[in-house]
Short mmCIF file of all heavy atoms in Angstrom, two decimals:
data_model
loop_
_atom_site.label_atom_id
_atom_site.label_comp_id
_atom_site.label_asym_id
_atom_site.label_seq_id
_atom_site.Cartn_x
_atom_site.Cartn_y
_atom_site.Cartn_z
N LEU B 247 0.87 -1.17 0.00
CA LEU B 247 0.00 0.00 0.00
C LEU B 247 0.91 1.22 0.00
O LEU B 247 1.77 1.36 0.88
CB LEU B 247 -0.89 0.02 1.25
CG LEU B 247 -1.65 1.32 1.48
CD1 LEU B 247 -2.78 1.46 0.45
CD2 LEU B 247 -2.21 1.38 2.89
N ALA B 248 0.75 2.10 -1.00
CA ALA B 248 1.63 3.26 -1.08
C ALA B 248 0.88 4.47 -1.59
O ALA B 248 -0.05 4.35 -2.38
CB ALA B 248 2.82 2.95 -2.01
N VAL B 249 1.29 5.64 -1.11
CA VAL B 249 0.70 6.91 -1.52
C VAL B 249 1.74 7.65 -2.34
O VAL B 249 2.82 7.98 -1.85
CB VAL B 249 0.29 7.75 -0.29
CG1 VAL B 249 -0.32 9.08 -0.74
CG2 VAL B 249 -0.69 6.98 0.58
N TRP B 250 1.39 7.91 -3.62
CA TRP B 250 2.30 8.58 -4.55
C TRP B 250 1.68 9.87 -5.05
O TRP B 250 0.46 10.04 -5.03
CB TRP B 250 2.59 7.67 -5.76
CG TRP B 250 3.16 6.35 -5.40
CD1 TRP B 250 2.48 5.25 -4.98
CD2 TRP B 250 4.54 5.98 -5.40
NE1 TRP B 250 3.35 4.22 -4.74
CE2 TRP B 250 4.62 4.62 -4.98
CE3 TRP B 250 5.72 6.65 -5.74
CZ2 TRP B 250 5.82 3.95 -4.89
CZ3 TRP B 250 6.92 5.97 -5.64
CH2 TRP B 250 6.97 4.63 -5.22
N GLU B 251 2.54 10.76 -5.52
CA GLU B 251 2.06 12.02 -6.08
C GLU B 251 1.27 11.78 -7.36
O GLU B 251 0.27 12.44 -7.61
CB GLU B 251 3.22 12.97 -6.33
CG GLU B 251 3.90 13.46 -5.05
CD GLU B 251 5.00 14.45 -5.34
OE1 GLU B 251 5.14 14.86 -6.51
OE2 GLU B 251 5.73 14.83 -4.40
N ASP B 252 1.71 10.85 -8.18
CA ASP B 252 0.96 10.50 -9.39
C ASP B 252 1.37 9.12 -9.87
O ASP B 252 2.31 8.51 -9.37
CB ASP B 252 1.15 11.54 -10.51
CG ASP B 252 2.60 11.74 -10.89
OD1 ASP B 252 3.31 10.74 -11.13
OD2 ASP B 252 3.05 12.90 -10.95
N LYS B 253 0.63 8.60 -10.85
CA LYS B 253 0.83 7.24 -11.35
C LYS B 253 2.21 7.05 -11.96
O LYS B 253 2.83 6.00 -11.81
CB LYS B 253 -0.25 6.92 -12.39
CG LYS B 253 -0.22 5.50 -12.96
CD LYS B 253 -1.45 5.28 -13.83
CE LYS B 253 -1.51 3.85 -14.38
NZ LYS B 253 -0.61 3.67 -15.52
N GLN B 254 2.71 8.09 -12.63
CA GLN B 254 4.00 7.97 -13.29
C GLN B 254 5.13 7.75 -12.27
O GLN B 254 6.06 7.00 -12.52
CB GLN B 254 4.29 9.22 -14.13
CG GLN B 254 3.48 9.32 -15.41
CD GLN B 254 1.99 9.54 -15.16
OE1 GLN B 254 1.62 10.25 -14.22
NE2 GLN B 254 1.15 8.91 -15.96
N ASP B 255 5.03 8.42 -11.13
CA ASP B 255 6.04 8.22 -10.09
C ASP B 255 6.07 6.77 -9.63
O ASP B 255 7.14 6.19 -9.42
CB ASP B 255 5.76 9.14 -8.90
CG ASP B 255 6.02 10.59 -9.23
OD1 ASP B 255 6.83 10.86 -10.13
OD2 ASP B 255 5.40 11.46 -8.58
N PHE B 256 4.89 6.20 -9.48
CA PHE B 256 4.82 4.80 -9.08
C PHE B 256 5.44 3.89 -10.14
O PHE B 256 6.25 3.02 -9.85
CB PHE B 256 3.37 4.39 -8.82
CG PHE B 256 3.16 2.91 -8.71
CD1 PHE B 256 3.57 2.21 -7.58
CD2 PHE B 256 2.56 2.19 -9.74
CE1 PHE B 256 3.39 0.85 -7.48
CE2 PHE B 256 2.38 0.83 -9.64
CZ PHE B 256 2.79 0.15 -8.51
N GLU B 257 5.05 4.10 -11.40
CA GLU B 257 5.51 3.24 -12.47
C GLU B 257 7.00 3.39 -12.73
O GLU B 257 7.65 2.47 -13.24
CB GLU B 257 4.71 3.52 -13.74
CG GLU B 257 3.25 3.09 -13.61
CD GLU B 257 2.45 3.37 -14.87
OE1 GLU B 257 2.82 4.32 -15.59
OE2 GLU B 257 1.45 2.65 -15.10
N ASN B 258 7.56 4.55 -12.38
CA ASN B 258 8.98 4.78 -12.60
C ASN B 258 9.84 4.38 -11.42
O ASN B 258 11.04 4.64 -11.40
CB ASN B 258 9.22 6.26 -12.94
CG ASN B 258 8.62 6.63 -14.29
OD1 ASN B 258 8.50 5.79 -15.18
ND2 ASN B 258 8.25 7.90 -14.42
N SER B 259 9.20 3.78 -10.40
CA SER B 259 9.97 3.24 -9.28
C SER B 259 10.67 1.98 -9.76
O SER B 259 10.22 0.86 -9.54
CB SER B 259 9.04 2.95 -8.10
OG SER B 259 9.75 2.43 -7.00
N SER B 260 11.79 2.17 -10.43
CA SER B 260 12.39 1.12 -11.24
C SER B 260 12.78 -0.13 -10.46
O SER B 260 12.59 -1.24 -10.95
CB SER B 260 13.61 1.67 -11.98
OG SER B 260 14.55 2.18 -11.05
N PHE B 261 13.29 0.04 -9.25
CA PHE B 261 13.76 -1.15 -8.52
C PHE B 261 12.61 -2.10 -8.22
O PHE B 261 12.66 -3.29 -8.50
CB PHE B 261 14.46 -0.74 -7.23
CG PHE B 261 14.87 -1.94 -6.40
CD1 PHE B 261 16.06 -2.60 -6.67
CD2 PHE B 261 14.07 -2.42 -5.38
CE1 PHE B 261 16.44 -3.72 -5.94
CE2 PHE B 261 14.44 -3.53 -4.64
CZ PHE B 261 15.62 -4.18 -4.92
N ILE B 262 11.53 -1.56 -7.63
CA ILE B 262 10.40 -2.41 -7.25
C ILE B 262 9.72 -2.98 -8.49
O ILE B 262 9.37 -4.16 -8.53
CB ILE B 262 9.41 -1.62 -6.38
CG1 ILE B 262 10.06 -1.30 -5.02
CG2 ILE B 262 8.12 -2.42 -6.17
CD1 ILE B 262 9.19 -0.51 -4.10
N GLN B 263 9.55 -2.15 -9.50
CA GLN B 263 8.90 -2.62 -10.72
C GLN B 263 9.71 -3.73 -11.38
O GLN B 263 9.16 -4.74 -11.82
CB GLN B 263 8.70 -1.46 -11.70
CG GLN B 263 7.62 -0.48 -11.28
CD GLN B 263 6.22 -1.04 -11.47
OE1 GLN B 263 5.87 -2.10 -10.95
NE2 GLN B 263 5.40 -0.34 -12.23
N SER B 264 11.00 -3.56 -11.47
CA SER B 264 11.84 -4.59 -12.10
C SER B 264 11.88 -5.85 -11.25
O SER B 264 11.91 -6.97 -11.77
CB SER B 264 13.26 -4.06 -12.33
OG SER B 264 13.86 -3.69 -11.10
N TRP B 265 11.85 -5.68 -9.93
CA TRP B 265 11.81 -6.84 -9.03
C TRP B 265 10.55 -7.64 -9.26
O TRP B 265 10.58 -8.87 -9.38
CB TRP B 265 11.88 -6.34 -7.58
CG TRP B 265 11.83 -7.43 -6.54
CD1 TRP B 265 10.74 -8.11 -6.11
CD2 TRP B 265 12.94 -7.97 -5.81
NE1 TRP B 265 11.06 -9.03 -5.15
CE2 TRP B 265 12.41 -8.97 -4.94
CE3 TRP B 265 14.30 -7.71 -5.78
CZ2 TRP B 265 13.22 -9.68 -4.06
CZ3 TRP B 265 15.11 -8.42 -4.91
CH2 TRP B 265 14.57 -9.40 -4.07
N TRP B 266 9.41 -6.94 -9.33
CA TRP B 266 8.14 -7.63 -9.55
C TRP B 266 8.12 -8.34 -10.90
O TRP B 266 7.64 -9.46 -11.01
CB TRP B 266 6.99 -6.63 -9.48
CG TRP B 266 6.66 -6.21 -8.08
CD1 TRP B 266 7.01 -6.85 -6.93
CD2 TRP B 266 5.92 -5.05 -7.68
NE1 TRP B 266 6.54 -6.17 -5.83
CE2 TRP B 266 5.87 -5.07 -6.26
CE3 TRP B 266 5.30 -4.03 -8.37
CZ2 TRP B 266 5.21 -4.09 -5.53
CZ3 TRP B 266 4.64 -3.05 -7.65
CH2 TRP B 266 4.59 -3.07 -6.25
N LYS B 267 8.63 -7.69 -11.93
CA LYS B 267 8.64 -8.29 -13.26
C LYS B 267 9.49 -9.56 -13.29
O LYS B 267 9.20 -10.50 -14.02
CB LYS B 267 9.15 -7.29 -14.29
CG LYS B 267 8.18 -6.14 -14.56
CD LYS B 267 8.78 -5.15 -15.55
CE LYS B 267 7.84 -3.98 -15.80
NZ LYS B 267 8.43 -2.98 -16.71
N THR B 268 10.53 -9.57 -12.48
CA THR B 268 11.46 -10.71 -12.47
C THR B 268 10.94 -11.87 -11.62
O THR B 268 11.05 -13.04 -12.03
CB THR B 268 12.84 -10.27 -11.93
OG1 THR B 268 13.34 -9.21 -12.76
CG2 THR B 268 13.82 -11.43 -11.96
N PHE B 269 10.37 -11.58 -10.47
CA PHE B 269 10.10 -12.63 -9.50
C PHE B 269 8.62 -12.99 -9.32
O PHE B 269 8.32 -13.97 -8.64
CB PHE B 269 10.69 -12.25 -8.14
CG PHE B 269 12.19 -12.25 -8.12
CD1 PHE B 269 12.89 -11.05 -8.21
CD2 PHE B 269 12.90 -13.43 -8.03
CE1 PHE B 269 14.27 -11.04 -8.20
CE2 PHE B 269 14.29 -13.43 -8.02
CZ PHE B 269 14.98 -12.23 -8.11
N THR B 270 7.70 -12.23 -9.87
CA THR B 270 6.30 -12.55 -9.66
C THR B 270 5.70 -13.22 -10.91
O THR B 270 6.11 -12.93 -12.03
CB THR B 270 5.46 -11.30 -9.35
OG1 THR B 270 5.46 -10.43 -10.49
CG2 THR B 270 6.04 -10.55 -8.16
N TYR B 271 4.75 -14.09 -10.68
CA TYR B 271 4.02 -14.68 -11.81
C TYR B 271 2.62 -14.09 -11.91
O TYR B 271 1.89 -14.37 -12.85
CB TYR B 271 3.96 -16.20 -11.71
CG TYR B 271 3.15 -16.75 -10.57
CD1 TYR B 271 1.78 -16.96 -10.69
CD2 TYR B 271 3.77 -17.10 -9.37
CE1 TYR B 271 1.04 -17.47 -9.64
CE2 TYR B 271 3.04 -17.62 -8.32
CZ TYR B 271 1.68 -17.81 -8.46
OH TYR B 271 0.95 -18.32 -7.41
N GLU B 272 2.25 -13.24 -10.92
CA GLU B 272 0.95 -12.58 -10.96
C GLU B 272 1.01 -11.30 -10.14
O GLU B 272 1.64 -11.26 -9.08
CB GLU B 272 -0.16 -13.49 -10.42
CG GLU B 272 -1.55 -12.89 -10.57
CD GLU B 272 -2.64 -13.84 -10.08
OE1 GLU B 272 -2.53 -14.32 -8.94
OE2 GLU B 272 -3.58 -14.09 -10.84
N LYS B 273 0.36 -10.24 -10.65
CA LYS B 273 0.34 -8.96 -9.94
C LYS B 273 -0.99 -8.26 -10.22
O LYS B 273 -1.46 -8.24 -11.36
CB LYS B 273 1.50 -8.08 -10.40
CG LYS B 273 1.56 -6.73 -9.69
CD LYS B 273 2.76 -5.92 -10.12
CE LYS B 273 2.64 -5.47 -11.56
NZ LYS B 273 3.68 -4.47 -11.94
N TRP B 274 -1.58 -7.72 -9.17
CA TRP B 274 -2.83 -6.95 -9.31
C TRP B 274 -2.61 -5.59 -8.68
O TRP B 274 -2.20 -5.48 -7.52
CB TRP B 274 -3.98 -7.68 -8.61
CG TRP B 274 -5.32 -7.03 -8.78
CD1 TRP B 274 -5.80 -6.42 -9.90
CD2 TRP B 274 -6.34 -6.91 -7.79
NE1 TRP B 274 -7.07 -5.94 -9.68
CE2 TRP B 274 -7.43 -6.23 -8.40
CE3 TRP B 274 -6.46 -7.32 -6.47
CZ2 TRP B 274 -8.60 -5.95 -7.72
CZ3 TRP B 274 -7.64 -7.05 -5.79
CH2 TRP B 274 -8.69 -6.37 -6.41
N THR B 275 -2.86 -4.54 -9.45
CA THR B 275 -2.64 -3.17 -8.99
C THR B 275 -3.93 -2.38 -9.11
O THR B 275 -4.61 -2.42 -10.13
CB THR B 275 -1.55 -2.47 -9.83
OG1 THR B 275 -0.36 -3.27 -9.82
CG2 THR B 275 -1.25 -1.09 -9.27
N ILE B 276 -4.27 -1.66 -8.04
CA ILE B 276 -5.46 -0.82 -8.01
C ILE B 276 -5.02 0.62 -7.75
O ILE B 276 -4.30 0.89 -6.78
CB ILE B 276 -6.45 -1.25 -6.93
CG1 ILE B 276 -6.76 -2.74 -7.04
CG2 ILE B 276 -7.73 -0.44 -7.01
CD1 ILE B 276 -7.54 -3.26 -5.87
N PHE B 277 -5.45 1.52 -8.61
CA PHE B 277 -5.19 2.95 -8.41
C PHE B 277 -6.46 3.58 -7.86
O PHE B 277 -7.55 3.37 -8.39
CB PHE B 277 -4.80 3.60 -9.74
CG PHE B 277 -3.51 3.07 -10.29
CD1 PHE B 277 -3.51 2.03 -11.21
CD2 PHE B 277 -2.29 3.59 -9.88
CE1 PHE B 277 -2.33 1.51 -11.71
CE2 PHE B 277 -1.10 3.08 -10.38
CZ PHE B 277 -1.12 2.04 -11.30
N MET B 278 -6.30 4.37 -6.78
CA MET B 278 -7.46 4.89 -6.08
C MET B 278 -7.24 6.34 -5.65
O MET B 278 -6.10 6.79 -5.53
CB MET B 278 -7.74 4.04 -4.83
CG MET B 278 -7.91 2.56 -5.09
SD MET B 278 -8.30 1.65 -3.57
CE MET B 278 -6.76 1.84 -2.65
N GLU B 279 -8.34 7.00 -5.37
CA GLU B 279 -8.33 8.36 -4.84
C GLU B 279 -9.08 8.36 -3.51
O GLU B 279 -10.21 7.89 -3.44
CB GLU B 279 -9.02 9.31 -5.82
CG GLU B 279 -9.13 10.73 -5.31
CD GLU B 279 -9.96 11.61 -6.24
OE1 GLU B 279 -10.63 11.06 -7.14
OE2 GLU B 279 -9.93 12.83 -6.05
N PRO B 280 -8.46 8.88 -2.44
CA PRO B 280 -9.14 8.89 -1.14
C PRO B 280 -10.39 9.77 -1.15
O PRO B 280 -10.38 10.87 -1.68
CB PRO B 280 -8.08 9.48 -0.20
CG PRO B 280 -6.79 9.33 -0.91
CD PRO B 280 -7.10 9.44 -2.37
N LEU B 281 -11.46 9.24 -0.57
CA LEU B 281 -12.70 10.00 -0.41
C LEU B 281 -12.82 10.53 1.02
O LEU B 281 -13.21 11.67 1.23
CB LEU B 281 -13.90 9.12 -0.74
CG LEU B 281 -14.06 8.71 -2.20
CD1 LEU B 281 -15.16 7.66 -2.33
CD2 LEU B 281 -14.38 9.92 -3.07
N ASN B 282 -12.51 9.70 1.98
CA ASN B 282 -12.48 10.13 3.38
C ASN B 282 -11.69 9.13 4.19
O ASN B 282 -11.47 7.99 3.77
CB ASN B 282 -13.89 10.33 3.96
CG ASN B 282 -14.76 9.10 3.78
OD1 ASN B 282 -14.41 8.01 4.24
ND2 ASN B 282 -15.88 9.26 3.10
N SER B 283 -11.25 9.56 5.35
CA SER B 283 -10.42 8.71 6.20
C SER B 283 -10.47 9.23 7.62
O SER B 283 -10.53 10.45 7.84
CB SER B 283 -8.98 8.70 5.68
OG SER B 283 -8.12 8.01 6.56
N HIS B 284 -10.47 8.32 8.58
CA HIS B 284 -10.34 8.74 9.97
C HIS B 284 -9.54 7.69 10.73
O HIS B 284 -9.58 6.50 10.41
CB HIS B 284 -11.69 9.01 10.64
CG HIS B 284 -12.59 7.81 10.71
ND1 HIS B 284 -12.49 6.85 11.70
CD2 HIS B 284 -13.62 7.42 9.91
CE1 HIS B 284 -13.41 5.93 11.51
NE2 HIS B 284 -14.11 6.24 10.43
#
């Protein structure tokens, strides 16, 4: 779970992205906008 300034920043996180591409056989990503929180 991570909070980023925008989608591009997340996708350009090269180390984690390359790690996932190398070692995972399945990945599910959800992009969301907070509505409320307490």
